[in-house]
Amino acid sequence: MPATAINQQPSKALSTILQAGFVAGTLDIAAACTQYYINTGKGPGNVLRYVASGVFGNKAFTGGVPMAAWGLVFHYIIAIGLTIFFFWLFPKVKWLSKNIIVTGLLYGIFAWAVTVLIIVPLSNTPPRAAFDFRKAAIAILILMFCIGIPISVIISRYYSKSK
């Protein structure tokens, strides 16, 4: 294999990871902000500041636009992290390629579980109200369709072209 082909492969992998992460992250934050607006009539700033509170704690809620911007950065870091994990996992678990839509839906559930059981508890976000099944179901559906499916589709295309 020529050296140029070897050098291009990591570039294509990185490009695919970033594309999937940004597509999924954008769909997810748009859905979360839309859902928040429907429920409260308020704009996306509070959603983004909540994400920023994972690092900055309660200070994020009084930080205005800079904290909202940090929230968006942290949101994309999480989305790209989830994408990197899926990219790594996809060729190792053969059944993931059997039905990419079902895989994406399942990965959305996994993303929700990671967020709720690992990321939020380890962060500085303020304590949340008691578990609400309706809110959890909406969050899971958003992650299934906005994170899981886009990541699954984009990453599976990469691997199908690599064969």
Side-chain angles (χ1 to χ4, degrees), residues 55-76:
V55 172
F56 297 107
N58 284 327
K59 178 182 171 189
F61 297 105
T62 59
V65 173
M67 283 297 166
W70 275 113
L72 191 59
V73 168
F74 298 145
H75 172 75
Y76 278 111

Side-chain angles (χ1 to χ4, degrees), residues 90-152:
F90 191 83
K92 294 178 179 359
V93 180
K94 295 300 177 202
W95 64 263
L96 293 178
S97 63
K98 300 295 182 210
N99 187 326
I100 60 171
I101 300 301
V102 171
T103 295
L105 294 172
L106 293 173
Y107 198 65
I109 296 168
F110 171 80
W112 176 82
V114 166
T115 302
V116 170
L117 300 174
I118 298 171
I119 295 172
V120 172
L122 292 175
S123 75
N124 292 319
T125 57
R128 303 226 33 195
F131 181 80
D132 180 328
F133 180 79
R134 183 183 157 284
K135 287 180 182 179
I138 291 169
I140 291 169
L141 287 169
I142 288 172
L143 289 172
M144 289 168 74
F145 287 94
C146 296
I147 291 282
I149 290 177
I151 289 173
S152 179

Side-chain angles (χ1 to χ4, degrees), residues 17-18 37 109 148:
I17 289 167
L18 291 175
Y37 178 77
I109 296 168

